[in-house]
Amino acid sequence: MKGIVDLYEGDYTVIEIDVQTHDVAKSIVDASVKVGEVVTFVNGVWKANIKETEQREQHIKKLMNDVWED
């Protein structure tokens, strides 16, 4: 299962999974995960997926460049 970290709120991490947000206990999210990162649920823990995060960032950057082209 994959998602994107939306925000941290109290003891919860809000993760967007399939276009819906879910409150997930911080205790099952790796401490190094940052807001905006793609995460994967592996062995009971949400971990950052660096490769997919970089791909997502590049895709967003391209979209922004396309929007602001003259």
Side-chain angles (χ1 to χ4, degrees), residues 42-54:
V42 179
N43 297 325
V45 178
W46 288 96
K47 296 184 180 192
N49 186 318
I50 302 303
K51 181 179 177 183
E52 290 199 31
T53 298
E54 289 173 354

Side-chain angles (χ1 to χ4, degrees), residues 2 4 8 15 20 27 29 35 43 46 54-56 58 63 66:
K2 293 181 198 173
I4 301 168
Y8 287 98
I15 300 177
Q20 293 186 353
S27 60
V29 178
V35 170
N43 297 325
W46 288 96
E54 289 173 354
Q55 290 173 342
R56 178 176 180 268
Q58 290 300 318
L63 291 173
D66 290 348

Side-chain angles (χ1 to χ4, degrees), residues 10-70:
D11 292 333
Y12 294 94
T13 304
V14 179
I15 300 177
E16 180 183 321
I17 304 166
D18 296 328
V19 194
Q20 293 186 353
T21 57
H22 300 270
D23 293 343
V24 175
K26 265 189 185 177
S27 60
I28 62 168
V29 178
D30 188 276
S32 66
V33 172
K34 297 176 182 73
V35 170
E37 287 188 319
V38 176
V39 289
T40 305
F41 195 62
V42 179
N43 297 325
V45 178
W46 288 96
K47 296 184 180 192
N49 186 318
I50 302 303
K51 181 179 177 183
E52 290 199 31
T53 298
E54 289 173 354
Q55 290 173 342
R56 178 176 180 268
E57 289 172 352
Q58 290 300 318
H59 179 71
I60 291 170
K61 185 176 180 180
K62 182 185 178 317
L63 291 173
M64 292 301 293
N65 286 339
D66 290 348
V67 167
W68 297 111
E69 276 186 354
D70 289 324

